[in-house]
């Protein structure tokens, strides 16, 4: 019995050696995943895009502005002239934090009164907003400590008071940002897994050749192959959204057509990637390993699990090439913020480029493969 088992083990290693593609995936994937997790999980959130609305325009307001600008946690990218512009900047995803220095701040401190400073954070990402509020309060506390030290005071007194306000998700419930993301993740997993098996499965069983003995054309085959799974994905999306809104009470402030447009473009990308994997892989086992290899980086680097702002700069650059990054921006922006087509024009445009390009390449490659 031991000899038979030993021979079976040896046979499996021989088969693995004959399949260098699969062997490479098995060796490389853990290393890549370890590096990705190590960099993403171990880094604090920093360089949050920030807007400063200075309505006081005094030496004190400039020192507060400078304290935030010089901090590694905040990067001032906008200086709007009024508080009313903050919402539009957040809707467009330009900023995550806004600092509002009201008129009369220096006069209040001079008169020995407390000067309230507004800190507005974007609640569509609960992790970022929680950390941003804490960082802002920490900087304000440092400003007050410096003022007291300069005045020779040993106990606290009136100073700058950080009043944190959360837009869009005031309760900071993580479920409100997780459910919109799950819509994209579940759709991508189901479509990529199914489509990655589409051609390779029939090629392995020999039914692909039999199929084209019939009068069916390559284009008809592709449409017939894709359509059922697209319909199932639409049902999945509707079920997940309904459960999230009805059972978990996730607020929906957006436009159904914005969601539908974004998901349609994202589904084209998922189908295209699945078909390309099916064409590259020689066996279903290879296709499954490639899916696992791609799925973890997609979910980790897109901002679904960890904020993109928590990643090093080079990983943030990588996340810009991942389609899921943009569908998450569309779904969370529409669900939580109520952002429309104009506010989400950039991520929708990127999704359109990815969807059309990847789907077209995959369909053309599939047509060539099955008619060769």
């Amino acid at each position: 019995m031991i000899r038979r088992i030993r021979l079976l083990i040896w046979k499996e290693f021989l088969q693995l050696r004959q399949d260098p593609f699969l062997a490479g995936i098995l060796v490389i994937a853990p290393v890549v995943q370890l590096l990705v997790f190590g960099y993403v999980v171990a880094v604090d959130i920093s360089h949050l895009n920030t807007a400063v609305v200075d309505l006081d325009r005094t030496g004190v307001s400039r020192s507060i502005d400078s304290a935030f600008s010089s901090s590694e946690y905040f990067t001032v990218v906008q200086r709007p002239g009024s508080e009313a512009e903050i919402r539009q900047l957040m809707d467009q995803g330009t900023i995550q934090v806004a600092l509002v220095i009201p008129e009369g701040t220096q006069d209040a401190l001079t008169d020995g009164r407390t000067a309230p400073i507004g800190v507005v954070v974007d609640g569509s990402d609960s992790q970022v907003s929680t950390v941003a509020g804490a960082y802002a309060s920490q900087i304000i506390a440092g400003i007050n400590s410096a003022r007291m030290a300069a005045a020779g005071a040993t106990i606290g007194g009136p100073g700058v008071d950080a009043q944190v306000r959360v837009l869009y998700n005031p309760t900071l419930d993580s479920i409100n940002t997780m459910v919109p993301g799950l819509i994209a993740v579940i759709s991508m997993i189901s479509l990529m897994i199914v489509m990655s098996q589409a051609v390779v499965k029939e090629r392995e069983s020999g039914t692909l050749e039999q199929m084209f003995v019939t009068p069916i054309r390559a284009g008809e085959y592709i449409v017939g192959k894709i359509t059922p799974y697209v319909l199932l994905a639409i049902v999945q999306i509707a079920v997940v959204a309904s459960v999230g809104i009805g059972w978990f009470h996730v607020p929906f402030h957006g436009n159904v057509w914005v969601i539908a447009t974004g998901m349609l473009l994202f589904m084209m990308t998922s189908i295209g990637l699945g078909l390309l994997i099916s064409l590259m892989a020689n066996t279903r086992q290879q296709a499954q390993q490639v899916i696992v290899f791609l799925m973890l980086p997609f979910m980790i680097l897109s901002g679904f699990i960890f904020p993109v702002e928590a990643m090093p700069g080079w990983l943030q650059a990588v996340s810009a090439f991942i389609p899921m990054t943009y569908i998450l921006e569309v779904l969370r922006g529409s669900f939580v913020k109520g952002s429309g087509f104009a506010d989400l024009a950039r991520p929708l445009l990127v999704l359109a480029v990815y969807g059309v390009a990847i789907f077209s390449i995959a369909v053309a490659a599939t047509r060539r493969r099955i008619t060769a």
Side-chain angles (χ1 to χ4, degrees), residues 14 37 46 102 139 146 158 163 182 187 191 198 262 265 281 293 348 368:
L14 287 177
F37 269 108
S46 61
I139 291 175
Q163 299 184 344
L182 281 173
S187 171
L191 283 175
L265 296 171
F293 181 76
L348 285 172
R368 286 197 302 269

Side-chain angles (χ1 to χ4, degrees), residues 50-325:
T50 306
V52 176
V53 183
D54 185 359
L55 302 177
D56 196 42
R57 297 181 179 86
T58 59
V60 169
S61 68
R62 285 190 290 272
S63 67
I64 296 173
D65 184 340
S66 176
F68 275 81
S69 302
S70 60
S71 167
E72 64 176 339
Y73 302 126
F74 302 96
T75 300
V76 178
V77 295
Q78 295 283 336
R79 298 182 186 278
S82 67
E83 190 174 354
E85 298 177 47
I86 292 175
R87 182 177 291 271
Q88 182 180 359
L89 291 171
M90 285 192 176
D91 283 346
Q92 295 171 350
T94 306
I95 61 171
Q96 288 91 39
V97 186
L99 179 68
V100 182
I101 307 174
E103 186 177 358
T105 296
Q106 179 170 290
D107 293 340
L109 293 175
T110 302
D111 295 341
R113 294 180 283 114
T114 298
I117 299 295
V119 179
V120 185
V121 295
D122 184 353
S124 63
D125 190 327
S126 56
Q127 296 183 62
V128 172
S129 55
T130 301
V131 173
Y135 286 163
S137 298
Q138 180 180 340
I139 291 175
I140 295 296
I143 293 173
N144 286 329
S145 297
R147 288 185 64 257
M148 287 188 293
T154 57
I155 59 173
V160 180
D161 178 28
Q163 299 184 344
V164 179
R165 177 162 55 98
V166 181
L167 283 185
Y168 311 117
N169 184 18
T171 59
L172 293 179
D173 289 336
S174 59
I175 191 69
N176 293 341
T177 58
M178 184 61 68
V179 167
L182 281 173
I183 295 174
V185 170
I186 292 173
S187 171
M188 183 178 71
I189 290 175
S190 60
L191 283 175
M192 284 185 65
I193 288 177
V194 171
M195 298 312 302
S196 69
Q197 308 290 316
V199 179
V200 68
K201 180 180 179 181
E202 294 191 351
R203 194 167 59 241
E204 279 185 332
S205 62
T207 57
L208 187 62
E209 290 78 8
Q210 296 174 7
M211 182 84 63
F212 289 99
V213 175
T214 68
I216 192 170
R217 297 179 179 177
E220 296 169 345
Y221 170 79
I222 295 172
V223 172
K225 199 74 176 175
I226 291 174
T227 302
Y229 303 112
V230 171
L231 295 176
L232 287 174
I234 292 172
V235 172
Q236 283 184 332
I237 293 168
V239 169
V240 174
S242 299
V243 171
I245 295 171
W247 183 262
F248 293 104
H249 306 293
V250 175
F252 178 70
H253 303 294
N255 187 325
V256 173
W257 293 110
V258 174
I259 300 292
T261 302
M263 284 305 302
L264 176 62
L265 296 171
F266 185 64
M267 286 164 61
M268 290 175 63
T269 303
S270 301
I271 292 170
L273 287 174
L275 281 175
L276 289 174
I277 292 170
S278 185
L279 294 173
M280 289 191 306
N282 294 318
T283 65
R284 280 178 284 178
Q285 190 178 14
Q286 281 186 358
Q288 291 168 358
Q289 291 297 326
V290 174
I291 289 293
V292 173
F293 181 76
L294 289 177
M295 285 302 304
L296 279 176
F298 274 28
M299 289 192 291
I300 295 169
L301 299 180
S302 64
F304 172 67
I305 300 176
F306 305 104
V308 175
E309 293 79 9
M311 305 174 193
W314 66 274
L315 273 182
Q316 292 187 29
V318 172
S319 72
F321 291 93
I322 297 177
M324 184 177 281
T325 303

